[in-house]
PDB file of all heavy atoms in Angstrom:
ATOM      1  N   GLY Q1173      51.790 173.457 279.414  1.00 96.00           N
ATOM      2  CA  GLY Q1173      51.342 174.544 280.266  1.00 96.00           C
ATOM      3  C   GLY Q1173      51.039 174.111 281.682  1.00 96.00           C
ATOM      4  O   GLY Q1173      51.192 172.939 282.048  1.00 96.00           O
ATOM      5  N   LYS Q1174      50.579 175.041 282.492  1.00 95.00           N
ATOM      6  CA  LYS Q1174      50.235 174.743 283.877  1.00 95.00           C
ATOM      7  C   LYS Q1174      49.099 173.731 283.973  1.00 95.00           C
ATOM      8  O   LYS Q1174      48.998 172.984 284.939  1.00 95.00           O
ATOM      9  CB  LYS Q1174      49.866 176.038 284.612  1.00 95.00           C
ATOM     10  CG  LYS Q1174      51.045 176.987 284.762  1.00 95.00           C
ATOM     11  CD  LYS Q1174      50.672 178.276 285.469  1.00 95.00           C
ATOM     12  CE  LYS Q1174      51.885 179.201 285.567  1.00 95.00           C
ATOM     13  NZ  LYS Q1174      51.577 180.486 286.206  1.00 95.00           N
ATOM     14  N   ASN Q1175      48.245 173.702 282.944  1.00 95.00           N
ATOM     15  CA  ASN Q1175      47.152 172.730 282.909  1.00 95.00           C
ATOM     16  C   ASN Q1175      47.601 171.372 282.394  1.00 95.00           C
ATOM     17  O   ASN Q1175      46.790 170.470 282.237  1.00 95.00           O
ATOM     18  CB  ASN Q1175      46.007 173.256 282.036  1.00 95.00           C
ATOM     19  CG  ASN Q1175      46.478 173.713 280.664  1.00 95.00           C
ATOM     20  OD1 ASN Q1175      47.585 173.395 280.226  1.00 95.00           O
ATOM     21  ND2 ASN Q1175      45.632 174.468 279.989  1.00 95.00           N
ATOM     22  N   GLN Q1176      48.922 171.245 282.136  1.00 94.00           N
ATOM     23  CA  GLN Q1176      49.533 170.015 281.640  1.00 94.00           C
ATOM     24  C   GLN Q1176      49.038 169.623 280.241  1.00 94.00           C
ATOM     25  O   GLN Q1176      49.121 168.472 279.836  1.00 94.00           O
ATOM     26  CB  GLN Q1176      49.353 168.861 282.637  1.00 94.00           C
ATOM     27  CG  GLN Q1176      50.102 169.061 283.939  1.00 94.00           C
ATOM     28  CD  GLN Q1176      51.597 169.279 283.712  1.00 94.00           C
ATOM     29  OE1 GLN Q1176      52.330 168.331 283.428  1.00 94.00           O
ATOM     30  NE2 GLN Q1176      52.068 170.520 283.815  1.00 94.00           N
ATOM     31  N   LEU Q1177      48.502 170.595 279.525  1.00 96.00           N
ATOM     32  CA  LEU Q1177      48.159 170.401 278.123  1.00 96.00           C
ATOM     33  C   LEU Q1177      49.260 171.007 277.254  1.00 96.00           C
ATOM     34  O   LEU Q1177      49.976 171.906 277.695  1.00 96.00           O
ATOM     35  CB  LEU Q1177      46.834 171.106 277.790  1.00 96.00           C
ATOM     36  CG  LEU Q1177      45.589 170.635 278.543  1.00 96.00           C
ATOM     37  CD1 LEU Q1177      44.386 171.482 278.128  1.00 96.00           C
ATOM     38  CD2 LEU Q1177      45.314 169.162 278.286  1.00 96.00           C
ATOM     39  N   LEU Q1178      49.387 170.494 276.027  1.00 97.00           N
ATOM     40  CA  LEU Q1178      50.277 171.144 275.086  1.00 97.00           C
ATOM     41  C   LEU Q1178      49.641 172.468 274.674  1.00 97.00           C
ATOM     42  O   LEU Q1178      48.468 172.510 274.308  1.00 97.00           O
ATOM     43  CB  LEU Q1178      50.494 170.285 273.839  1.00 97.00           C
ATOM     44  CG  LEU Q1178      51.448 170.944 272.833  1.00 97.00           C
ATOM     45  CD1 LEU Q1178      52.888 170.695 273.215  1.00 97.00           C
ATOM     46  CD2 LEU Q1178      51.164 170.479 271.415  1.00 97.00           C
ATOM     47  N   ILE Q1179      50.412 173.550 274.736  1.00 98.00           N
ATOM     48  CA  ILE Q1179      49.921 174.857 274.307  1.00 98.00           C
ATOM     49  C   ILE Q1179      50.744 175.292 273.099  1.00 98.00           C
ATOM     50  O   ILE Q1179      51.964 175.457 273.195  1.00 98.00           O
ATOM     51  CB  ILE Q1179      50.016 175.893 275.438  1.00 98.00           C
ATOM     52  CG1 ILE Q1179      49.232 175.405 276.664  1.00 98.00           C
ATOM     53  CG2 ILE Q1179      49.492 177.247 274.973  1.00 98.00           C
ATOM     54  CD1 ILE Q1179      49.245 176.341 277.845  1.00 98.00           C
ATOM     55  N   THR Q1180      50.080 175.436 271.965  1.00 98.00           N
ATOM     56  CA  THR Q1180      50.763 175.809 270.730  1.00 98.00           C
ATOM     57  C   THR Q1180      50.673 177.314 270.516  1.00 98.00           C
ATOM     58  O   THR Q1180      49.688 177.943 270.912  1.00 98.00           O
ATOM     59  CB  THR Q1180      50.128 175.092 269.522  1.00 98.00           C
ATOM     60  OG1 THR Q1180      48.791 175.595 269.320  1.00 98.00           O
ATOM     61  CG2 THR Q1180      50.062 173.588 269.756  1.00 98.00           C
ATOM     62  N   PRO Q1181      51.686 177.914 269.884  1.00 98.00           N
ATOM     63  CA  PRO Q1181      51.611 179.345 269.583  1.00 98.00           C
ATOM     64  C   PRO Q1181      50.423 179.681 268.676  1.00 98.00           C
ATOM     65  O   PRO Q1181      49.824 180.753 268.805  1.00 98.00           O
ATOM     66  CB  PRO Q1181      52.943 179.631 268.875  1.00 98.00           C
ATOM     67  CG  PRO Q1181      53.868 178.557 269.342  1.00 98.00           C
ATOM     68  CD  PRO Q1181      53.000 177.344 269.517  1.00 98.00           C
ATOM     69  N   GLU Q1182      50.087 178.751 267.768  1.00 98.00           N
ATOM     70  CA  GLU Q1182      49.041 179.025 266.782  1.00 98.00           C
ATOM     71  C   GLU Q1182      47.624 178.870 267.343  1.00 98.00           C
ATOM     72  O   GLU Q1182      46.750 179.706 267.075  1.00 98.00           O
ATOM     73  CB  GLU Q1182      49.169 178.071 265.579  1.00 98.00           C
ATOM     74  CG  GLU Q1182      50.456 178.215 264.817  1.00 98.00           C
ATOM     75  CD  GLU Q1182      51.608 177.395 265.389  1.00 98.00           C
ATOM     76  OE1 GLU Q1182      51.468 176.818 266.498  1.00 98.00           O
ATOM     77  OE2 GLU Q1182      52.656 177.338 264.740  1.00 98.00           O
ATOM     78  N   TYR Q1183      47.378 177.821 268.115  1.00 98.00           N
ATOM     79  CA  TYR Q1183      46.016 177.485 268.538  1.00 98.00           C
ATOM     80  C   TYR Q1183      45.862 177.366 270.052  1.00 98.00           C
ATOM     81  O   TYR Q1183      44.792 176.984 270.528  1.00 98.00           O
ATOM     82  CB  TYR Q1183      45.572 176.161 267.898  1.00 98.00           C
ATOM     83  CG  TYR Q1183      45.822 176.109 266.416  1.00 98.00           C
ATOM     84  CD1 TYR Q1183      46.781 175.247 265.881  1.00 98.00           C
ATOM     85  CD2 TYR Q1183      45.113 176.921 265.534  1.00 98.00           C
ATOM     86  CE1 TYR Q1183      47.020 175.192 264.516  1.00 98.00           C
ATOM     87  CE2 TYR Q1183      45.347 176.879 264.164  1.00 98.00           C
ATOM     88  CZ  TYR Q1183      46.308 176.015 263.664  1.00 98.00           C
ATOM     89  OH  TYR Q1183      46.537 175.976 262.315  1.00 98.00           O
ATOM     90  N   GLY Q1184      46.903 177.708 270.810  1.00 98.00           N
ATOM     91  CA  GLY Q1184      46.837 177.497 272.249  1.00 98.00           C
ATOM     92  C   GLY Q1184      46.681 176.013 272.541  1.00 98.00           C
ATOM     93  O   GLY Q1184      47.207 175.160 271.817  1.00 98.00           O
ATOM     94  N   PRO Q1185      45.917 175.655 273.594  1.00 98.00           N
ATOM     95  CA  PRO Q1185      45.721 174.245 273.921  1.00 98.00           C
ATOM     96  C   PRO Q1185      44.559 173.619 273.140  1.00 98.00           C
ATOM     97  O   PRO Q1185      44.212 172.456 273.378  1.00 98.00           O
ATOM     98  CB  PRO Q1185      45.409 174.288 275.418  1.00 98.00           C
ATOM     99  CG  PRO Q1185      44.700 175.590 275.593  1.00 98.00           C
ATOM    100  CD  PRO Q1185      45.326 176.548 274.614  1.00 98.00           C
ATOM    101  N   ARG Q1186      43.978 174.364 272.212  1.00 98.00           N
ATOM    102  CA  ARG Q1186      42.787 173.896 271.489  1.00 98.00           C
ATOM    103  C   ARG Q1186      43.162 172.972 270.334  1.00 98.00           C
ATOM    104  O   ARG Q1186      42.855 173.228 269.164  1.00 98.00           O
ATOM    105  CB  ARG Q1186      41.981 175.096 271.000  1.00 98.00           C
ATOM    106  CG  ARG Q1186      41.492 175.973 272.141  1.00 98.00           C
ATOM    107  CD  ARG Q1186      40.794 177.217 271.645  1.00 98.00           C
ATOM    108  NE  ARG Q1186      40.247 177.972 272.768  1.00 98.00           N
ATOM    109  CZ  ARG Q1186      39.155 178.701 272.719  1.00 98.00           C
ATOM    110  NH1 ARG Q1186      38.463 178.796 271.598  1.00 98.00           N
ATOM    111  NH2 ARG Q1186      38.725 179.356 273.781  1.00 98.00           N
ATOM    112  N   VAL Q1187      43.877 171.910 270.674  1.00 98.00           N
ATOM    113  CA  VAL Q1187      44.299 170.920 269.688  1.00 98.00           C
ATOM    114  C   VAL Q1187      44.171 169.525 270.287  1.00 98.00           C
ATOM    115  O   VAL Q1187      44.126 169.354 271.507  1.00 98.00           O
ATOM    116  CB  VAL Q1187      45.771 171.133 269.248  1.00 98.00           C
ATOM    117  CG1 VAL Q1187      45.944 172.434 268.493  1.00 98.00           C
ATOM    118  CG2 VAL Q1187      46.725 171.064 270.439  1.00 98.00           C
ATOM    119  N   ARG Q1188      44.095 168.537 269.407  1.00 98.00           N
ATOM    120  CA  ARG Q1188      44.245 167.134 269.783  1.00 98.00           C
ATOM    121  C   ARG Q1188      45.474 166.621 269.053  1.00 98.00           C
ATOM    122  O   ARG Q1188      45.854 167.157 268.006  1.00 98.00           O
ATOM    123  CB  ARG Q1188      43.004 166.318 269.399  1.00 98.00           C
ATOM    124  CG  ARG Q1188      41.728 166.721 270.111  1.00 98.00           C
ATOM    125  CD  ARG Q1188      41.751 166.389 271.591  1.00 98.00           C
ATOM    126  NE  ARG Q1188      41.915 164.956 271.803  1.00 98.00           N
ATOM    127  CZ  ARG Q1188      42.371 164.418 272.937  1.00 98.00           C
ATOM    128  NH1 ARG Q1188      42.727 165.190 273.948  1.00 98.00           N
ATOM    129  NH2 ARG Q1188      42.469 163.099 273.064  1.00 98.00           N
ATOM    130  N   LEU Q1189      46.106 165.587 269.585  1.00 97.00           N
ATOM    131  CA  LEU Q1189      47.384 165.116 269.064  1.00 97.00           C
ATOM    132  C   LEU Q1189      47.364 163.636 268.714  1.00 97.00           C
ATOM    133  O   LEU Q1189      46.610 162.851 269.308  1.00 97.00           O
ATOM    134  CB  LEU Q1189      48.483 165.338 270.105  1.00 97.00           C
ATOM    135  CG  LEU Q1189      48.717 166.771 270.584  1.00 97.00           C
ATOM    136  CD1 LEU Q1189      49.604 166.768 271.828  1.00 97.00           C
ATOM    137  CD2 LEU Q1189      49.356 167.600 269.477  1.00 97.00           C
ATOM    138  N   VAL Q1190      48.215 163.270 267.763  1.00 97.00           N
ATOM    139  CA  VAL Q1190      48.439 161.863 267.449  1.00 97.00           C
ATOM    140  C   VAL Q1190      49.908 161.724 267.059  1.00 97.00           C
ATOM    141  O   VAL Q1190      50.549 162.700 266.647  1.00 97.00           O
ATOM    142  CB  VAL Q1190      47.504 161.380 266.310  1.00 97.00           C
ATOM    143  CG1 VAL Q1190      47.975 161.877 264.946  1.00 97.00           C
ATOM    144  CG2 VAL Q1190      47.343 159.861 266.327  1.00 97.00           C
ATOM    145  N   THR Q1191      50.450 160.512 267.191  1.00 97.00           N
ATOM    146  CA  THR Q1191      51.880 160.288 266.966  1.00 97.00           C
ATOM    147  C   THR Q1191      52.120 159.025 266.160  1.00 97.00           C
ATOM    148  O   THR Q1191      51.415 158.031 266.320  1.00 97.00           O
ATOM    149  CB  THR Q1191      52.614 160.157 268.324  1.00 97.00           C
ATOM    150  OG1 THR Q1191      52.321 161.306 269.136  1.00 97.00           O
ATOM    151  CG2 THR Q1191      54.113 160.047 268.133  1.00 97.00           C
ATOM    152  N   VAL Q1192      53.137 159.082 265.309  1.00 98.00           N
ATOM    153  CA  VAL Q1192      53.628 157.897 264.601  1.00 98.00           C
ATOM    154  C   VAL Q1192      55.100 157.724 264.967  1.00 98.00           C
ATOM    155  O   VAL Q1192      55.896 158.649 264.784  1.00 98.00           O
ATOM    156  CB  VAL Q1192      53.495 158.045 263.066  1.00 98.00           C
ATOM    157  CG1 VAL Q1192      54.152 156.859 262.359  1.00 98.00           C
ATOM    158  CG2 VAL Q1192      52.028 158.156 262.666  1.00 98.00           C
ATOM    159  N   LEU Q1193      55.455 156.577 265.507  1.00 97.00           N
ATOM    160  CA  LEU Q1193      56.859 156.272 265.781  1.00 97.00           C
ATOM    161  C   LEU Q1193      57.487 155.688 264.525  1.00 97.00           C
ATOM    162  O   LEU Q1193      56.844 154.934 263.792  1.00 97.00           O
ATOM    163  CB  LEU Q1193      56.974 155.262 266.929  1.00 97.00           C
ATOM    164  CG  LEU Q1193      56.545 155.758 268.313  1.00 97.00           C
ATOM    165  CD1 LEU Q1193      56.624 154.616 269.328  1.00 97.00           C
ATOM    166  CD2 LEU Q1193      57.410 156.930 268.770  1.00 97.00           C
ATOM    167  N   THR Q1194      58.748 156.036 264.283  1.00 98.00           N
ATOM    168  CA  THR Q1194      59.416 155.548 263.075  1.00 98.00           C
ATOM    169  C   THR Q1194      60.925 155.499 263.295  1.00 98.00           C
ATOM    170  O   THR Q1194      61.452 156.114 264.234  1.00 98.00           O
ATOM    171  CB  THR Q1194      59.083 156.442 261.857  1.00 98.00           C
ATOM    172  OG1 THR Q1194      59.690 155.899 260.683  1.00 98.00           O
ATOM    173  CG2 THR Q1194      59.571 157.867 262.070  1.00 98.00           C
ATOM    174  N   ASP Q1195      61.614 154.782 262.411  1.00 97.00           N
ATOM    175  CA  ASP Q1195      63.075 154.798 262.429  1.00 97.00           C
ATOM    176  C   ASP Q1195      63.611 155.660 261.287  1.00 97.00           C
ATOM    177  O   ASP Q1195      64.815 155.695 261.035  1.00 97.00           O
ATOM    178  CB  ASP Q1195      63.651 153.383 262.362  1.00 97.00           C
ATOM    179  CG  ASP Q1195      63.216 152.617 261.116  1.00 97.00           C
ATOM    180  OD1 ASP Q1195      62.378 153.131 260.347  1.00 97.00           O
ATOM    181  OD2 ASP Q1195      63.711 151.485 260.914  1.00 97.00           O
ATOM    182  N   ALA Q1196      62.724 156.369 260.599  1.00 97.00           N
ATOM    183  CA  ALA Q1196      63.141 157.251 259.510  1.00 97.00           C
ATOM    184  C   ALA Q1196      63.959 158.426 260.056  1.00 97.00           C
ATOM    185  O   ALA Q1196      63.629 158.969 261.111  1.00 97.00           O
ATOM    186  CB  ALA Q1196      61.918 157.770 258.752  1.00 97.00           C
ATOM    187  N   PRO Q1197      65.012 158.847 259.348  1.00 96.00           N
ATOM    188  CA  PRO Q1197      65.905 159.916 259.839  1.00 96.00           C
ATOM    189  C   PRO Q1197      65.350 161.313 259.587  1.00 96.00           C
ATOM    190  O   PRO Q1197      65.923 162.115 258.852  1.00 96.00           O
ATOM    191  CB  PRO Q1197      67.191 159.676 259.033  1.00 96.00           C
ATOM    192  CG  PRO Q1197      66.685 159.156 257.717  1.00 96.00           C
ATOM    193  CD  PRO Q1197      65.480 158.295 258.050  1.00 96.00           C
ATOM    194  N   LEU Q1198      64.238 161.633 260.223  1.00 97.00           N
ATOM    195  CA  LEU Q1198      63.596 162.933 260.031  1.00 97.00           C
ATOM    196  C   LEU Q1198      64.297 164.003 260.873  1.00 97.00           C
ATOM    197  O   LEU Q1198      64.799 163.721 261.965  1.00 97.00           O
ATOM    198  CB  LEU Q1198      62.125 162.836 260.426  1.00 97.00           C
ATOM    199  CG  LEU Q1198      61.310 161.803 259.625  1.00 97.00           C
ATOM    200  CD1 LEU Q1198      59.987 161.505 260.326  1.00 97.00           C
ATOM    201  CD2 LEU Q1198      61.077 162.290 258.203  1.00 97.00           C
ATOM    202  N   LYS Q1199      64.314 165.227 260.372  1.00 96.00           N
ATOM    203  CA  LYS Q1199      64.986 166.320 261.074  1.00 96.00           C
ATOM    204  C   LYS Q1199      64.123 166.820 262.222  1.00 96.00           C
ATOM    205  O   LYS Q1199      63.003 167.268 262.016  1.00 96.00           O
ATOM    206  CB  LYS Q1199      65.274 167.473 260.106  1.00 96.00           C
ATOM    207  CG  LYS Q1199      66.073 168.599 260.743  1.00 96.00           C
ATOM    208  CD  LYS Q1199      66.361 169.709 259.756  1.00 96.00           C
ATOM    209  CE  LYS Q1199      67.139 170.838 260.425  1.00 96.00           C
ATOM    210  NZ  LYS Q1199      67.416 171.948 259.479  1.00 96.00           N
TER     211      LYS Q1199
END
């Protein structure tokens, strides 16, 4: 969004995020 936060359809920007990198062939 304009605030440079991720804005989700479900919760708007009211989320925190985490990531796992992998070589698994996920869709």
Side-chain angles (χ1 to χ4, degrees):
K1174 294 179 181 178
N1175 51 16
Q1176 294 303 284
L1177 299 178
L1178 181 82
I1179 303 180
T1180 67
E1182 298 86 351
Y1183 311 112
R1186 299 175 175 212
V1187 294
R1188 296 291 300 159
L1189 302 167
V1190 76
T1191 306
V1192 174
L1193 292 176
T1194 183
D1195 59 354
L1198 300 165
K1199 185 179 179 181

